[in-house]
């Protein structure tokens, strides 16, 4: 098992199952400490090169993923890998798209879809999930 994040690490969301996922904004410096083993970048354009394994999920700012089936598959992979690896989700600011993706992970982890945004706002950032359509996306996200 690879070292995982600690719940006290900057930007780390602890899911009810105990899985830990770090959310962050790419416009901020990389937090001190361990680097991710795997990251998914939620951006409208291709992300910068990094020395760890990544996936790019095309997701324009303030919008929704351009491919919902791909988003579901990638977020499923994030949830699976978070059981044993340091996994990171990141967008430009670390709130809207990252918060939406974290809320979808909470749904995969057993949080009811209608409470997932509140869960992420309480445990990650009170500013997570910025738009009405992002909130609706989470409410309609299925396991």
């Amino acid at each position: 098992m690879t070292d995982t994040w600690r719940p006290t690490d900057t930007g780390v969301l602890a899911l009810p199952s105990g899985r830990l996922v770090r959310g962050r904004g790419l416009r901020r410096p990389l937090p001190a400490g361990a680097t991710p083993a795997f990251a998914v970048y939620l951006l409208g354009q291709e992300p910068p090169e990094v020395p760890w394994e990544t996936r790019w999920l095309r997701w324009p700012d303030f919008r929704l993923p351009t491919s919902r089936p791909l988003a579901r598959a990638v977020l499923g992979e994030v949830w699976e890998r978070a059981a044993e690896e340091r996994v990171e989700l990141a967008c430009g600011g670390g709130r809207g798209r990252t918060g939406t993706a974290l809320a979808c992970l909470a749904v995969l982890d057993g949080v009811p879809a209608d409470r997932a945004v509140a869960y992420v706002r309480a445990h990650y950032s009170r500013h997570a999930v910025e738009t009405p359509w992002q909130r609706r996306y989470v409410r309609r996200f299925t396991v």
Side-chain angles (χ1 to χ4, degrees):
M1 179 175 186
T2 304
D3 291 334
T4 59
W5 307 116
R6 293 182 310 252
T8 56
D9 289 342
T10 303
V12 172
L13 173 68
L15 294 166
S17 66
R19 285 174 167 85
L20 303 173
V21 179
R22 183 171 75 186
R24 76 177 178 102
L26 294 172
R27 290 191 296 265
R28 295 188 199 103
L30 185 67
T35 57
F38 175 67
V40 173
Y41 296 120
L42 315 162
L43 300 168
Q45 59 189 11
E46 196 166 347
E49 290 266 333
V50 291
W52 47 83
E53 184 182 356
T54 66
R55 298 266 188 288
W56 170 35
L57 184 56
R58 188 180 296 271
W59 192 327
D61 201 7
F62 296 106
R63 303 282 177 120
L64 298 173
T66 58
S67 170
R68 291 179 188 201
L70 180 60
R72 174 61 183 83
V74 169
L75 293 173
E77 181 181 4
V78 168
W79 184 82
E80 288 287 336
R81 292 180 74 161
E84 296 191 16
E85 296 179 69
R86 289 184 312 275
V87 179
E88 171 178 88
L89 289 171
C91 64
R95 293 182 174 179
R97 294 168 285 181
T98 297
T100 301
L102 289 170
C104 291
L105 291 183
V107 172
L108 293 175
D109 207 62
V111 175
D114 63 344
R115 296 200 306 245
V117 170
Y119 182 88
V120 170
R121 287 179 174 168
H123 297 94
Y124 170 69
S125 169
R126 62 187 177 97
H127 301 290
V129 191
E130 296 175 311
T131 68
W133 42 92
Q134 290 172 341
R135 289 190 297 275
R136 187 170 47 250
Y137 181 77
V138 173
R139 281 194 311 271
R140 294 178 178 170
F141 193 81
T142 57
V143 177

